[in-house]
Amino acid sequence: MGQIIARYGEISLKGQNRSEFEKVLVQNMRRAVSPWPGVHVARGQGRIVIETGDHPVDPVLTALSRVFGIVSLSPVRSAGLSEEAIGAEAVALVQEALASGEMPRRTFKVEVRRANKRFPIPSPELARRLGGVILKSVPGLHVDVHHPDLTVNVEVRDVEAFVYGRTVPGLGGLPVGVSGKVGLLLSGGIDSPVAGWLAMKRGAQVEAIHFHSYPFTSERALQKVESLAQVLADWGGRVVLHVVHFTEVQTEIRKHCPEPLTITIMRRMMMRIATDIARQRGLLAIVTGESLGQVASQTLESMYTIGSVTRLPILRPLVAEDKVDIIRRARQIGTYDISILPYEDCCTVFVPKNPRTRPKPDEAEAAETHLDVEALTASAVKRTEMKVFHARRGVERSLSGTP
Ligand code: ATP
Ligand code: MG
């Protein structure tokens, strides 16, 4: 019967926040292991313990390493609280590591942590004795305290001891859900999916909002955004996608507003529509993939003029990131290959010849005088369609690397 322990972080969390963190983390972990019926997840003594039953440990381990909020995981062997019982598991662990080729130089060390101070043998003494037991039971081994092939870790706890060798890193961050819900402005580009992933990493549940300009943008452009929402759902558990039909708004902007300001006004309309959707859906902030100075429209002046139409906080997780780093992250989370598919975006369809790169709010307001902002916003919100994406089972295998 396999067992895994999961360690979680954010040591700054206290009291109510901590128990909420743990509750949501356990829920998210249960969802991650739902493909394996009978796998059991429970809280205990500052750790979460997963019983894998008859299922192989590794796939469960991989699935859990994708759950936000976990710092690291170890497959463990559980032993009763006696020196003999712990020794037997330690020897078994060493034999397993030898058999799987993890000990080419046949060196090891033992490290003991004693959370249960009633256990009669002090940690250094227990480590020494266990080292002796291992050396006696398995011939040809050596202790190397500096660079051992295998560290035999022993954690002595209240009702049992855990013995383990391997520790797999988790993603860190906070469990999705503890920070509330946010609206992600999701384009088909490289940046916004990464921004959404980072918002999830800090515990936000993401509802994506996409502006679609059919027939100026194709059905395939929309499918691309749906694929991105699906990948985000694979990480975050569940992602709602709101598809806003934006053609009428764009056409009206083109008809009634000075050309150099069309991009600014289009963004202001996106913000207004997103703000209304946020109100209906209880979203507490708007997340975008903007990064300062990345393109001409991402100036501070432009951010101010666009942001001044909403009172919601606008979160820009990528504000200080360079493009190469964003691309690396996009590859790791599995959105890059989808993002670079060549379908047009609603913003690239109407590109003015000389866009204003540092627009002021009063210029934008003046440019909007002949636009029926309220009616256009309301009608776009009314026609918005909603789709829900759930994590796909077993998909962790197709996601590359650990970000
Ligand atoms: P991305 O790679 O995320 O598209 P970008 O570098 O192409 O970003 P812009 O096209 O200027 O930058 O878009 C800035 C941000 O505005 C995007 O990151 C996204 O959050 C939002 N955005 C742009 N187009 C759309 C759209 N069609 N639907 C929803 N949000 C959008
Ligand atoms: Mg873009």
Side-chain angles (χ1 to χ4, degrees), residues 99-155:
S100 62
E102 287 165 48
M103 297 179 71
R105 292 174 301 135
R106 303 179 73 87
T107 55
F108 75 99
K109 73 170 171 182
V110 181
E111 263 181 20
V112 175
R113 244 155 308 151
R114 197 169 47 124
N116 170 4
K117 299 293 178 200
R118 284 176 321 235
F119 187 75
I121 312 169
S123 304
E125 171 67 15
L126 181 59
R128 229 178 351 260
R129 291 198 206 172
L130 291 172
V133 170
I134 293 167
L135 287 171
K136 213 182 317 158
S137 318
V138 189
L141 296 186
H142 307 280
V143 173
D144 178 349
V145 290
H146 299 297
H147 304 287
D149 291 340
L150 174 73
T151 299
V152 178
N153 295 282
V154 176
E155 264 184 48

Side-chain angles (χ1 to χ4, degrees), residues 63-113:
L64 290 172
S65 72
R66 310 257 176 214
V67 176
F68 294 107
I70 295 175
V71 171
S72 67
L73 298 137
S74 294
V76 297
R77 296 166 162 276
S78 167
L81 287 182
S82 71
E83 190 188 335
E84 294 69 33
I86 298 171
E89 292 303 329
V91 169
L93 180 77
V94 170
Q95 274 159 344
E96 196 180 71
L98 275 172
S100 62
E102 287 165 48
M103 297 179 71
R105 292 174 301 135
R106 303 179 73 87
T107 55
F108 75 99
K109 73 170 171 182
V110 181
E111 263 181 20
V112 175
R113 244 155 308 151

Side-chain angles (χ1 to χ4, degrees), residues 185-187 189-192 209 211 267 289 294 298 345-347:
L185 300 191
L186 181 64
S187 70
I190 295 168
D191 304 326
S192 45
I209 302 169
F211 296 86
R267 299 267 185 213
Q294 190 193 75
Q298 293 174 17
D345 183 48
C346 75
C347 309

Side-chain angles (χ1 to χ4, degrees), residues 52 73 141 181 197 201 295 310 317 336 349 363 365 400:
T52 61
L73 298 137
L141 296 186
K181 288 198 285 184
W197 188 90
K201 181 168 190 259
V295 290
T310 184
Y336 183 76
V349 177
E363 280 177 279
E365 266 154 47
S400 55

Side-chain angles (χ1 to χ4, degrees), residues 323-387:
K323 194 79 184 186
V324 282
D325 298 318
I326 300 171
I327 288 175
R328 184 176 326 118
R329 179 90 75 178
R331 284 186 197 282
Q332 287 167 333
I333 66 184
T335 54
Y336 183 76
D337 290 340
I338 304 169
S339 291
I340 59 172
L341 293 172
Y343 312 124
E344 64 297 319
D345 183 48
C346 75
C347 309
T348 48
V349 177
F350 303 94
V351 184
K353 278 186 232 62
N354 299 302
R356 284 276 283 127
T357 53
R358 301 182 191 283
K360 298 202 175 66
D362 53 354
E363 280 177 279
E365 266 154 47
E368 284 167 354
T369 19
H370 300 293
L371 198 66
D372 194 343
V373 167
E374 273 169 40
L376 283 173
T377 306
S379 110
V381 171
K382 209 165 119 203
R383 284 178 297 125
T384 293
E385 290 173 64
M386 203 175 103
K387 264 195 157 179

Side-chain angles (χ1 to χ4, degrees), residues 267-305:
R267 299 267 185 213
R268 281 160 63 97
M269 289 305 294
M270 285 185 178
M271 246 345 138
R272 291 178 174 118
I273 293 165
T275 303
D276 274 15
I277 293 172
R279 193 178 306 126
Q280 289 176 8
R281 301 284 304 166
L283 313 178
L284 302 170
I286 305 285
V287 177
T288 81
E290 290 164 301
S291 153
L292 186 55
Q294 190 193 75
V295 290
S297 61
Q298 293 174 17
T299 61
L300 289 172
E301 290 87 345
S302 175
M303 287 182 192
Y304 175 62
T305 298

